[in-house]
Amino acid sequence: MAETKEAVKHVVLAKFKEDLTTEKVEEIINGYAGLVSLIEPMKDFHWGTDVSIENLHQGFTHVFVSTFESTEGIAEYISHPVHVEFANKFLQLLDKILVIDYKPTTVNLS
Amino acid sequence: MAETKEAVKHVVLAKFKEDLTTEKVEEIINGYAGLVSLIEPMKDFHWGTDVSIENLHQGFTHVFVSTFESTEGIAEYISHPVHVEFANKFLQLLDKILVIDYKPTTVNLS
């Protein structure tokens, strides 16, 4: 089981408050995406809404995945003033959040 | 905000029971990876253990991410006899599970 590359994925599951407008949600997602150009160790960002059919998503409505070169990069990101300011705004819009980081690993079964 | 490609990510967060051996966990992960060659709509699989530092991972120990061409492909996968058999074994090893699917979307801020 080898790591595919030197990268760490930072996965955020969020449940937005139900009374938010579409515009407000879009604005905060654009703000999240904008962090890529403001915080050096953050290399990539993508997101999506829950489309699962198993009802095992525990109410989470959105997935946000960003990529870093290392766990040290994530630590730098978390404490970066621009992220702290963003996170304060973001958290105010959420009912709940889950954050998990992992190093993508593939399985060689051959 | 455009979808980057026609793909759906199937994200499984798992918390394995604490009394399992490393070998048992590795065996079930190999079994999970093996589904890619047995279930046609499943296109890719990778995984990793939690390395987060924010303590917002709610006890989940592992992330499993597989890729499908469509939500219909995920539905076919879920009901596929090979997946059903695997899932029965997998769930017996877990304290808890969360499953969320999403279509990766990028944000164009330019």
Side-chain angles (χ1 to χ4, degrees):
Chain A
M1 296 189 188
E3 289 171 22
T4 47
K5 51 185 173 179
E6 293 299 319
V8 189
K9 297 289 184 184
H10 180 68
V11 178
V12 174
L13 306 188
K15 179 181 190 295
F16 280 102
K17 291 178 179 172
E18 288 182 7
D19 60 351
L20 298 175
T21 61
T22 307
E23 290 73 20
K24 189 74 186 167
V25 172
E26 192 165 319
E27 181 189 323
I28 199 76
I29 293 173
N30 286 345
Y32 200 152
L35 299 180
V36 177
S37 60
L38 298 173
I39 304 180
E40 195 276 329
M42 185 182 185
K43 300 303 182 192
D44 183 64
F45 171 79
H46 70 262
W47 70 283
T49 57
D50 172 51
V51 293
S52 68
I53 57 174
E54 295 178 277
N55 200 27
L56 293 170
H57 61 294
Q58 298 182 14
F60 288 104
T61 57
H62 289 66
V63 180
F64 302 98
V65 179
S66 44
T67 305
F68 295 81
E69 284 176 359
S70 65
T71 51
E72 292 78 9
I74 295 181
E76 184 183 335
Y77 162 80
I78 289 168
S79 61
H80 193 293
V82 170
H83 172 261
V84 171
E85 185 182 346
F86 170 78
N88 285 339
K89 285 189 216 165
F90 184 61
L91 291 172
Q92 285 176 21
L93 306 182
L94 303 185
D95 274 338
K96 63 176 181 172
I97 187 169
L98 187 159
V99 182
I100 192 163
D101 303 338
Y102 72 100
K103 298 180 182 180
T105 302
T106 54
V107 179
N108 185 353
L109 293 173
S110 63
Chain B
M1 298 190 186
E3 288 172 24
T4 46
K5 52 186 173 177
E6 293 299 319
V8 189
K9 297 289 184 183
H10 180 67
V11 178
V12 174
L13 306 187
K15 180 180 189 296
F16 280 102
K17 291 178 179 172
E18 289 182 6
D19 61 351
L20 298 175
T21 62
T22 307
E23 290 72 20
K24 189 72 187 167
V25 172
E26 190 165 320
E27 181 188 324
I28 199 75
I29 293 173
N30 286 345
Y32 201 152
L35 298 180
V36 177
S37 60
L38 298 172
I39 303 180
E40 195 277 328
M42 185 182 186
K43 300 303 181 192
D44 184 65
F45 171 78
H46 69 262
W47 70 283
T49 56
D50 172 52
V51 293
S52 68
I53 57 174
E54 294 178 277
N55 200 26
L56 293 169
H57 61 294
Q58 297 181 15
F60 288 105
T61 57
H62 289 67
V63 180
F64 302 98
V65 179
S66 44
T67 305
F68 295 81
E69 283 176 359
S70 65
T71 51
E72 291 77 10
I74 295 181
E76 184 182 336
Y77 162 80
I78 289 169
S79 61
H80 193 293
V82 169
H83 172 261
V84 171
E85 185 182 348
F86 169 78
N88 285 338
K89 287 189 215 165
F90 184 61
L91 291 171
Q92 286 176 19
L93 306 181
L94 303 185
D95 274 339
K96 62 177 180 172
I97 188 169
L98 187 157
V99 182
I100 192 164
D101 303 337
Y102 72 100
K103 298 180 182 180
T105 303
T106 54
V107 179
N108 185 353
L109 294 173
S110 62

